[in-house]
Amino acid sequence: MTHEEAQRPDDGRESNAVAAAMAGEMALLRPEVRRSRERIAALLDPEFTEVGASGRRYDRAAMLDALPRMPALPGGPPDGGAHEAGDGPRGMRGVELAPGLVHLTYETVHAGRHARRSSLWRRQAGSDDWRMYYHQGTPVHES
């Protein structure tokens, strides 16, 4: 089985789990979500950790404090309109690693800075709620 085949069910559509994780990831990129501690809290797992593109490590409490003050990453305008060239996540892909666990990868370009991003999303036991468990942003230096 190829990597591409592993990412998608036999019918070629994304699994519900991958689609739910992608929706959560896109929500966390939206400025109106990033400004709301309550909305961020609903999307971050209680055991959340992040290694940002700066190399800084965050736990959930630190991210709840920091994210509303961080510059927004382009995830699309709030009205759902088109992006400008170079904005927004590019090449987002997901794979369901196990029931209740999804890995997403994508790239962003923001203010001329490129980053590769990787997130793990975990479904909350006994519910359909998906929360980000881990995130890492790695700078890509253009040569």
Side-chain angles (χ1 to χ4, degrees):
M1 176 180 293
T2 68
H3 179 68
E4 184 69 26
E5 290 169 333
Q7 293 179 358
R8 300 182 188 281
D10 291 341
D11 63 6
R13 290 180 292 160
E14 294 167 346
S15 72
N16 289 339
V18 170
M22 286 182 171
E25 191 82 33
M26 294 300 291
L28 281 171
L29 295 173
R30 296 173 72 93
E32 68 275 15
V33 173
R34 293 171 74 90
R35 288 189 297 263
S36 169
R37 185 179 177 93
E38 293 77 24
R39 291 177 78 179
I40 297 165
L43 291 167
L44 296 183
D45 190 271
E47 297 177 29
F48 171 83
T49 59
E50 174 171 336
V51 177
S54 66
R56 183 171 176 192
R57 183 177 205 81
Y58 297 90
D59 62 11
R60 186 174 191 269
M63 187 55 70
L64 287 172
D65 289 339
L67 197 55
R69 296 187 311 273
M70 289 181 175
L73 290 173
D79 64 3
H83 300 279
E84 290 186 29
D87 284 353
R90 297 189 292 188
M92 187 177 286
R93 296 182 184 266
V95 61
E96 188 170 1
L97 299 174
L101 184 64
V102 169
H103 180 225
L104 299 179
T105 58
Y106 60 100
E107 293 187 23
T108 56
V109 178
H110 181 64
R113 295 178 300 171
H114 296 244
R116 290 195 178 107
R117 300 187 178 276
S118 177
S119 299
L120 290 174
W121 285 78
R122 183 162 76 169
R123 187 176 56 234
Q124 300 301 291
S127 81
D128 290 329
D129 293 338
W130 285 84
R131 293 188 178 177
M132 184 184 281
Y133 176 73
Y134 178 81
H135 182 81
Q136 181 166 344
T138 304
V140 177
H141 300 288
E142 297 296 315
S143 49

